[in-house]
Amino acid sequence: MGGDKAPEMVIEGMDLALKRVPDARFLLFGEEGRLHELLRKYPKARVATEVRHAAEVITNRCKPSVAVRSGRESSMWKAIAAVKAGEAESVVSAGNTGALMAMSVLQLRTLSGIDRPAIATYFPTQRGRTVMLDLGANVVCGAENLVQFAVMGEVFARQVLDLEQPSVGILNVGVEDLKGHDDVKQASLMLQNANLPIKFHGFVEGDDIGRGTVDVVVTDGFTGNVALKTAEGTARLFGYFLREALQGSLLAKTGALLAMPALRKFKQKVDPRRYNGAMFVGLNGICVKSHGGTDAIGFCNAIRAAERMVRHGFNDRITRDLERLMSAQGGSRPTVNGVVAPLSAIGSESAHP
Amino acid sequence: MGGDKAPEMVIEGMDLALKRVPDARFLLFGEEGRLHELLRKYPKARVATEVRHAAEVITNRCKPSVAVRSGRESSMWKAIAAVKAGEAESVVSAGNTGALMAMSVLQLRTLSGIDRPAIATYFPTQRGRTVMLDLGANVVCGAENLVQFAVMGEVFARQVLDLEQPSVGILNVGVEDLKGHDDVKQASLMLQNANLPIKFHGFVEGDDIGRGTVDVVVTDGFTGNVALKTAEGTARLFGYFLREALQGSLLAKTGALLAMPALRKFKQKVDPRRYNGAMFVGLNGICVKSHGGTDAIGFCNAIRAAERMVRHGFNDRITRDLERLMSAQGGSRPTVNGVVAPLSAIGSESAHP
């Protein structure tokens, strides 16, 4: 029921997804009558779907804390509960991000060793794709959270992007060690000093995202969310200027017509719907958040992102890799100079006088 | 002496700037011998320039705190001192941003009512141009700083962009009141409740920058810096994909050739050099920071940004407007419900139970 054009956009997206993943099956939560009626227009989706009634809807204005307390009859809560019960292998929603995260954490719980889950997505780059996290789950993050994001992002890039040894960078206002606030400086020290088998690149800047300098970009949820949306906005602005220029003269129009197949391919490459589907990582269950403003094509891609994570057995792998990472450095927490220390002490001013 | 291609890029930029601002005169600080030698290649710049020797250079790796203590013989310190002494009307540098800001604050001091200066620049948008600040002067900002940035940004948009009543927004991860961390929430409350004659729009998101939703985007220096560089990186990536697509087939190449004048105009419109020149606002003096990696064209634009601020009498106007704004609401600080309160109390949890 979540998203600007829901629920029809969701059902149309399911219909599209079935073309790529013909064996997908859906549990659809929401207003029973309306969903059954809409499904009539999409016979293929109808056959693959079981509708489950949910009397409530979590709106975008709903506070996450309120949602988890009094939203137990909502489509969102029930959809996540289906994952917890093992009835569904993943949940996809275009609804309220904060509520989806809070409900997922409460029902699915975080993986062992992870304090807070993060939202991750792909960015297109000159070299391929980069994973970035967190994109808004945690508007305030400490150094420990950033280190955990680095670990999860590295596993993600290895398993889902199939990279052998992905490089990891922390987003900052400069690449020099002295740049940035305390949390990024501490996280960088922790990743440098802990014996984690991670290829840590150091700090990267905003323009390194599109450049593809590293395979994994780690940041707090506030900065990550702004960066993601700024990139989307810039891409849209760029497209607007390009259209404007190509419609400016007869010559330009003719040229654009000839180059149309190439321009169409280009447009597809930068289409934000192609990258729709932000993945919650660090939970005992797979949860994908679609953009609220997307259409059926975008929602279809969010479904496919969830399907990919299920197919790759992402959570089994992340758990195994986390354990391997933790044991590789001889403790359940990163160490400084080989001495196991609580994360809060690592890289702090006092530990590095 | 600052910038990747300095000092030649700086001198070539001065030469270019003289074509647009023929009556400009330069004081050039740095390694005397080398500067005189380079100036020989640019006779026009040579005539308009007085070289002043500075034995030291502030490198990019230099900590701002170290720079202000022991960099008094540097070209950067001496250039700022010339503004303080009234010998120059503005200073332009492509060097270490943090050091430039620290030295400017120490020598020029902040305007009355402003605790910390900010770095501002223009962004191209679908509607024209948007001013954004802070872009990296303050990696950690409190709510009070954000409110002061809003006031300075509003004056800037009114005076330099010539807008009658510019709208102001605070960058956040969502537009709803409950979104974001405490500092943005408090700043928003302060701007809503203070009797400042500012058209406050509320929260905006990253994609609102390119959309031109507001005339002034206010944010902390960490987020602003990442957003600026992410936008630049995305524009570069977009250009890369476009070139790639247009070189993909003979048909596309032919089309691109026909559309070349339009594509060139488009390229100019999104050229980051066009927007080079970040302005330090809130200081008793005009200081413009050029991108370190720019070329002569970009540096020329930074010079022109400084010249524009001088010509508009920006600092006189900002001082007058700040006073007007302060007196408009009956005190030197914003008020809550008409009661003058210290900024730290406004919008805080205790003031709004």
Side-chain angles (χ1 to χ4, degrees):
Chain A
M1 302 300 288
D4 300 349
K5 296 166 209 154
E8 178 147 14
M9 165 280 277
V10 170
I11 294 172
E12 202 189 331
M14 286 157 48
D15 202 65
L16 285 174
L18 282 166
K19 286 183 188 144
R20 303 299 196 97
V21 195
D23 56 345
R25 293 296 169 267
F26 300 101
L27 292 178
L28 188 62
F29 293 82
E31 213 190 303
E32 209 170 17
R34 203 162 150 215
L35 297 180
H36 276 303
E37 202 188 300
L38 284 168
L39 275 168
R40 261 189 252 157
K41 282 170 65 183
Y42 303 94
K44 227 187 305 162
R46 191 184 186 179
V47 174
T49 302
E50 184 189 327
V51 172
R52 302 253 178 115
H53 185 64
E56 285 171 15
V57 175
I58 303 294
T59 65
N60 267 337
R61 300 200 64 85
C62 182
K63 257 187 146 154
S65 56
V66 175
V68 292
R69 271 202 313 275
S70 54
R72 305 283 167 111
E73 292 302 316
S74 66
S75 51
M76 191 182 274
W77 180 272
K78 289 185 166 185
I80 300 164
V83 173
K84 187 181 161 66
E87 289 186 286
E89 285 174 296
S90 66
V91 54
V92 183
S93 167
N96 182 323
T97 310
L100 186 66
M101 180 54 88
M103 283 182 171
S104 298
V105 170
L106 200 66
Q107 294 194 73
L108 304 174
R109 304 278 165 191
T110 56
L111 293 171
S112 138
I114 300 298
D115 294 326
R116 280 147 79 180
I119 302 177
T121 198
Y122 309 114
F123 271 74
T125 76
Q126 288 188 21
R127 290 177 50 239
R129 291 201 285 185
T130 284
V131 181
M132 182 152 140
L133 72 172
D134 174 30
L135 299 170
N138 313 282
V139 291
V140 181
C141 290
E144 293 185 35
N145 299 122
L146 295 175
V147 170
Q148 291 175 12
F149 298 167
V151 172
M152 292 195 290
E154 201 261 359
V155 175
F156 191 94
R158 200 144 28 81
Q159 304 297 2
V160 183
L161 292 188
D162 224 12
L163 298 171
E164 210 159 298
Q165 174 129 48
S167 57
V168 177
I170 295 178
L171 196 57
N172 196 357
V173 298
V175 296
E176 300 87 4
D177 284 346
L178 61 95
K179 288 286 173 76
H181 52 62
D182 289 346
D183 288 324
V184 290
K185 285 186 211 168
Q186 276 193 34
S188 173
L189 274 176
M190 285 158 79
L191 284 168
Q192 280 168 50
N193 294 331
N195 293 319
L196 294 169
I198 284 183
K199 195 170 149 194
F200 179 56
H201 172 94
F203 291 139
V204 292
E205 301 185 61
D207 49 350
D208 286 308
I209 303 171
R211 204 175 276 138
T213 306
V214 289
D215 301 306
V216 181
V217 174
V218 170
T219 187
D220 66 275
F222 192 90
T223 310
N225 187 283
V226 168
L228 171 72
K229 287 176 183 162
T230 301
E232 285 170 359
T234 307
R236 209 175 293 130
L237 179 70
F238 210 98
Y240 172 85
F241 284 156
L242 184 61
R243 270 193 308 279
E244 201 184 47
L246 291 178
Q247 286 161 0
S249 70
L250 191 63
L251 203 64
K253 276 184 205 168
T254 314
L257 206 66
L258 284 178
M260 192 51 78
L263 288 173
R264 208 171 283 139
K265 222 182 280 174
F266 161 73
K267 208 183 152 190
Q268 271 174 12
K269 203 158 187 176
V270 295
D271 187 344
R273 292 177 302 183
R274 185 179 167 144
Y275 304 95
N276 186 37
M279 294 141 292
F280 289 6
V281 294
L283 291 170
N284 276 310
I286 289 163
C287 182
V288 171
K289 167 65 174 64
S290 159
H291 240 287
T294 198
D295 61 9
I297 294 173
F299 199 83
C300 162
N301 283 327
I303 292 172
R304 291 182 62 203
E307 189 271 333
R308 224 169 7 242
M309 286 176 82
V310 171
R311 185 154 36 87
H312 280 86
F314 177 68
N315 270 0
D316 288 344
R317 292 193 182 213
I318 208 173
T319 310
R320 217 181 318 141
D321 275 27
L322 277 172
E323 276 168 15
R324 191 181 62 85
L325 284 172
M326 295 310 188
S327 68
Q329 40 94 44
S332 64
R333 294 291 193 183
T335 60
V336 172
N337 304 328
V339 182
V340 178
L343 275 183
S344 53
I346 298 173
S348 67
E349 298 286 329
S350 59
H352 291 82
Chain B
M1 303 300 287
D4 300 348
K5 296 164 209 158
E8 177 146 17
M9 166 280 280
V10 170
I11 294 173
E12 201 188 331
M14 287 158 49
D15 201 65
L16 285 174
L18 283 165
K19 286 184 187 143
R20 304 298 195 97
V21 195
D23 57 346
R25 292 298 170 268
F26 300 102
L27 293 178
L28 188 63
F29 293 83
E31 210 190 304
E32 209 168 18
R34 205 162 149 214
L35 298 180
H36 276 303
E37 203 188 300
L38 285 168
L39 275 167
R40 262 188 251 158
K41 280 171 64 183
Y42 303 92
K44 229 187 302 162
R46 191 184 185 177
V47 175
T49 302
E50 185 188 326
V51 173
R52 303 255 179 114
H53 185 65
E56 284 171 17
V57 175
I58 303 294
T59 63
N60 268 336
R61 300 201 64 86
C62 183
K63 258 186 144 151
S65 55
V66 175
V68 294
R69 272 202 313 275
S70 53
R72 303 285 167 109
E73 292 303 317
S74 66
S75 51
M76 192 183 273
W77 179 272
K78 290 186 165 183
I80 300 164
V83 172
K84 187 181 162 68
E87 290 186 285
E89 285 173 296
S90 66
V91 55
V92 183
S93 167
N96 181 323
T97 310
L100 186 66
M101 179 54 89
M103 284 183 172
S104 297
V105 170
L106 200 68
Q107 294 193 74
L108 304 174
R109 305 275 165 192
T110 56
L111 293 170
S112 137
I114 300 298
D115 295 326
R116 280 148 78 180
I119 302 177
T121 197
Y122 308 115
F123 271 74
T125 75
Q126 289 189 20
R127 291 177 51 238
R129 289 201 287 186
T130 285
V131 181
M132 182 151 141
L133 72 173
D134 173 30
L135 298 172
N138 312 281
V139 291
V140 181
C141 290
E144 294 185 33
N145 298 122
L146 295 174
V147 170
Q148 292 175 12
F149 298 167
V151 172
M152 293 194 290
E154 202 262 358
V155 175
F156 191 94
R158 200 143 29 80
Q159 304 296 2
V160 183
L161 292 187
D162 225 11
L163 298 171
E164 211 158 296
Q165 174 129 48
S167 57
V168 178
I170 295 178
L171 196 56
N172 197 358
V173 297
V175 296
E176 300 87 3
D177 284 346
L178 60 95
K179 287 286 173 75
H181 52 62
D182 289 347
D183 289 323
V184 291
K185 285 187 212 170
Q186 276 193 34
S188 173
L189 273 175
M190 285 158 78
L191 284 168
Q192 280 167 51
N193 294 331
N195 293 318
L196 294 169
I198 284 183
K199 194 169 149 196
F200 180 56
H201 172 92
F203 292 138
V204 292
E205 301 184 62
D207 50 350
D208 286 309
I209 303 170
R211 203 175 275 138
T213 306
V214 290
D215 301 307
V216 181
V217 174
V218 170
T219 188
D220 65 274
F222 191 90
T223 311
N225 187 284
V226 168
L228 171 71
K229 287 176 184 162
T230 301
E232 286 170 357
T234 308
R236 207 174 295 132
L237 179 70
F238 210 99
Y240 172 84
F241 284 155
L242 184 60
R243 270 193 307 279
E244 202 184 44
L246 292 178
Q247 286 162 0
S249 70
L250 192 63
L251 203 65
K253 276 184 203 166
T254 313
L257 206 67
L258 285 178
M260 194 48 78
L263 288 173
R264 209 171 282 138
K265 222 182 279 175
F266 160 73
K267 207 182 152 189
Q268 272 174 12
K269 204 158 187 177
V270 296
D271 188 344
R273 293 177 302 184
R274 184 179 168 142
Y275 304 94
N276 186 36
M279 296 142 291
F280 288 6
V281 296
L283 292 169
N284 277 310
I286 288 162
C287 182
V288 171
K289 166 66 173 67
S290 160
H291 239 290
T294 197
D295 62 9
I297 293 173
F299 199 82
C300 162
N301 283 328
I303 294 172
R304 292 181 64 203
E307 189 271 334
R308 228 173 2 247
M309 286 177 81
V310 171
R311 186 155 34 88
H312 280 86
F314 177 68
N315 271 359
D316 290 344
R317 293 194 181 210
I318 208 171
T319 311
R320 216 181 318 142
D321 275 27
L322 276 173
E323 277 168 13
R324 191 181 63 84
L325 283 172
M326 296 310 189
S327 67
Q329 42 92 45
S332 65
R333 293 291 192 181
T335 61
V336 173
N337 304 327
V339 182
V340 178
L343 274 184
S344 54
I346 297 172
S348 67
E349 299 288 327
S350 58
H352 291 83

